[in-house]
Amino acid sequence: EPGARRRVVNRSTVANVDLESLAHNARVIRAHLAALRGADSPAFAGVVKADAYGHGAVPAARTLVESGASMLACADIDEGLELRAAGLDVPILVFGAFSLGDLDGIFEGRLTPTVSTPTAARRLQEAAAARGVRLGYHLGVDTGMLRLGLRHDNLERTLPAILDSPNLVLEGVYTHFATADTPGDDLFARQRRNFAEAEATLAARGVRGCLRHAANSGALLADPGTWFDLVRPGLLMYGVAPDAFDGRIDVRPVMSVRSRVAAVK
């Protein structure tokens, strides 16, 4: 307003994000996958949840797509819509739960939701039927992390109604590993077995050819047997390796924080 006092802020502490380092990390990770799996190496998703871990979702997403990401993954619908508004056109998987009021955004943004509960599937089916469209989704399976997802040991009860939804198309199935960055952890081994059982349950229901993914940063470095069709390195892509695997591949920190010394005592 006229006459208002202007406040000038001189920031002495700045976070710098180096997108070339992000592109380098994508190349290094792809090379690691190819070295062990060759032409059969999995695709990778660009995980940009939480503003790309504070690195800036849109520029990070653009860099990852340019570096070969076949899919982007975010935490919620608003994050997905931000990516669409920026012109990104690859598939965008939404990890998180959603409410009834969020459904318009899924369809308007051409987002791929995660079905983690029978109720979520029912709401999506009703919304897709009302619009006269078919909607692709990924099935989230809780194999022991105890976060989101259908219980792996209850799929015989929960799957039939979901798979029989005429307007929903199962495009992928995935789980999250809780302790993949801890070598020898028993929960990691149990989650692997539980996911294999979930795959068998889906196969018995006639599910074939959907995208399977489970490997976060720790699993990507710890066990190629978890790579399946797609890997989802999060912090590793931004240059932060789990302590147990630090130095295994040449990733570079994408963010650096610099400041000015204010005083020395």
Side-chain angles (χ1 to χ4, degrees), residues 88-133:
L88 289 149
D89 200 40
V90 298
I92 299 175
L93 174 65
V94 178
F95 287 136
F98 52 86
S99 67
L100 193 59
D102 292 329
L103 294 181
D104 287 341
I106 292 173
F107 293 92
E108 292 167 4
R110 295 175 290 113
L111 306 178
T112 304
T114 293
V115 167
S116 295
T117 66
T119 300
R122 186 167 60 251
R123 288 175 173 172
L124 288 172
Q125 165 58 32
E126 292 169 353
R131 291 167 171 79
V133 299

Side-chain angles (χ1 to χ4, degrees), residues 16-252:
N16 297 292
V17 175
D18 181 1
L19 294 176
E20 175 50 39
S21 290
L22 182 59
H24 164 84
N25 293 345
R27 290 192 297 269
V28 167
I29 289 171
R30 292 182 70 188
H32 177 74
L33 299 173
L36 295 182
R37 286 266 294 267
D40 189 38
S41 61
F44 80 91
V47 181
V48 291
K49 62 183 180 180
D51 195 33
Y53 300 86
H55 294 75
V58 169
R62 285 179 176 149
T63 300
L64 291 171
V65 170
E66 291 168 0
S67 300
S70 62
M71 172 187 296
L72 296 171
C74 58
D76 58 41
I77 291 168
D78 285 343
E79 290 183 354
L81 293 176
E82 179 188 7
L83 300 174
R84 283 285 183 247
L88 289 149
D89 200 40
V90 298
I92 299 175
L93 174 65
V94 178
F95 287 136
F98 52 86
S99 67
L100 193 59
D102 292 329
L103 294 181
D104 287 341
I106 292 173
F107 293 92
E108 292 167 4
R110 295 175 290 113
L111 306 178
T112 304
T114 293
V115 167
S116 295
T117 66
T119 300
R122 186 167 60 251
R123 288 175 173 172
L124 288 172
Q125 165 58 32
E126 292 169 353
R131 291 167 171 79
V133 299
R134 301 189 78 200
L135 177 69
Y137 71 97
H138 284 210
L139 194 70
V141 180
D142 177 12
T143 55
M145 189 171 185
L146 303 182
R147 196 163 66 181
L148 295 176
L150 295 164
R151 284 179 56 111
H152 69 92
D153 54 356
N154 200 32
L155 291 179
E156 293 285 359
R157 291 183 56 196
T158 55
L159 270 180
I162 296 173
L163 296 180
D164 292 342
S165 301
N167 293 80
L168 301 184
V169 181
L170 177 59
E171 295 180 345
V173 57
Y174 72 91
T175 194
H176 288 290
F177 290 128
T179 58
D181 53 355
T182 304
D185 187 87
D186 181 61
L187 177 57
F188 181 39
R190 280 189 282 122
Q191 284 195 263
R192 285 190 56 196
R193 292 194 298 270
N194 292 340
F195 190 62
E197 291 174 6
E199 288 184 277
T201 302
L202 284 164
R205 292 282 305 176
V207 174
R208 300 283 189 280
C210 68
L211 197 67
R212 301 165 304 147
H213 51 106
N216 54 10
S217 297
L220 187 153
L221 295 174
D223 186 356
T226 65
W227 292 358
F228 302 114
D229 306 305
L230 179 83
V231 295
R232 309 187 310 259
L235 287 177
L236 184 67
M237 189 66 76
Y238 297 91
V240 181
D243 289 344
F245 306 106
D246 190 25
R248 180 164 294 186
I249 60 175
D250 179 32
V251 292
R252 302 172 184 167

